[in-house]
Amino acid sequence: MGFRKKNKSPPVLSHEFVIQNHADMVSCVAMIILLGLMFEVTAKFAIMFITVQYNVTQSLDERAEQVNLYQYGPKDIATVFFYLLIAVILHALIQEYILDKMNRRLHLSKTKHSKFNESGQLAAFYLLSFIWGCSILTAEEFATNPTFLWEGYPHTHMVFQVKFFYICQIAYWLHALPELYFQKVRKEDIPRQLYYICLYVFHITGAYILNLHRLGLVLLVPHYLVELLFHASRLFYFSDENKQKGFTLWALLFVIARLLTLTLSVLTFGFGLPRAENQGFSLAKGNFNVLTIRMTCLAAICLTQAWMMWKFINFQLKKWREHSQSQASKKKAFSPKSKPHKKDLARVGSANGVVKSDDKTSPRARKAKAS
């Protein structure tokens, strides 16, 4: 883990060396990019990594001042790379100074330790993203006019907050891929984490490239709220196994979020975009409003929601079986025990080497009678 002091230093460039010092290495790369701003020759390249690119100045008829809007382009890859480095550094800081200290107090098993770290990192990210997304939506017209999801499509221009939000989202989920190696995630947990990481990258990048950032933002905010509640509940559960009320609220909100996602997706791709003024396919104009792309996007969202519901149902059934088994074991433990028979007591006594005989013809009985 980065920033952690070790008594024994492993060989340079070995796997253990990279894992322990990956945050320091990434910090050096980020510092080199920042130092590039100090020199005129490298400044134009360093700015491409640090600042948001493709700004367009527009003047609105209703207002006298000009508004700075942004588009997307190939240079965004450099920006995503830089903030991927920042995400790796922040990940190491949270792990080192918050989660590791909490793990030492809780004394968790290896399985719970891995899940605790995962939930701790994701809960912090979901909380920040949810607050950030809500602040962006409050400035939009969605609360009073849901038709802004498709009106004026293609939405090739974005305000700074929207574009920077998507840049950070893509960077975070891409940084989660090397973190599987840096965090020494167990082999049995890697497929599960790879599934949801790839789904996040696929959907968020798709919404960004297809100029569907309005719909993507509206769908991400409630989804992040549900995921935040789940991982927060799991953190409380690891600290005290009696704290399970949060999972009940999460289960209810999870189903509502899935229905909301399907409703808004069908409304946008099935009714809104087909009736929009700009129809057709044009890479230059950023217009992807054709039937094939609309149905592909809708199918991808529906399949993802169906897969999530399938995982959710299996999770609930597993919890229900575990609860039933625990209740059955408790009933057996508190059930009244039947009294043993005299023959059983005699067998137990003989097994312990104690033999009681009431036979009057035994040698000891005859001797007592003679005396």
Side-chain angles (χ1 to χ4, degrees), residues 9-10 17 29 51 124 154 214 266 269 293 308 310 320 330 369:
S9 59
F17 179 84
V29 176
T51 61
R214 294 184 182 180
V266 172
F269 293 109
I293 296 180
M308 293 177 67
W310 174 254
W320 179 76
K330 288 181 180 180
K369 186 175 181 181

Side-chain angles (χ1 to χ4, degrees), residues 43 63 149 158 178 263 309 317 327 356:
R63 301 177 183 177
L149 292 174
M158 299 171 280
T263 302
M309 281 300 300
L317 289 176
Q327 292 296 326
K356 293 183 179 180

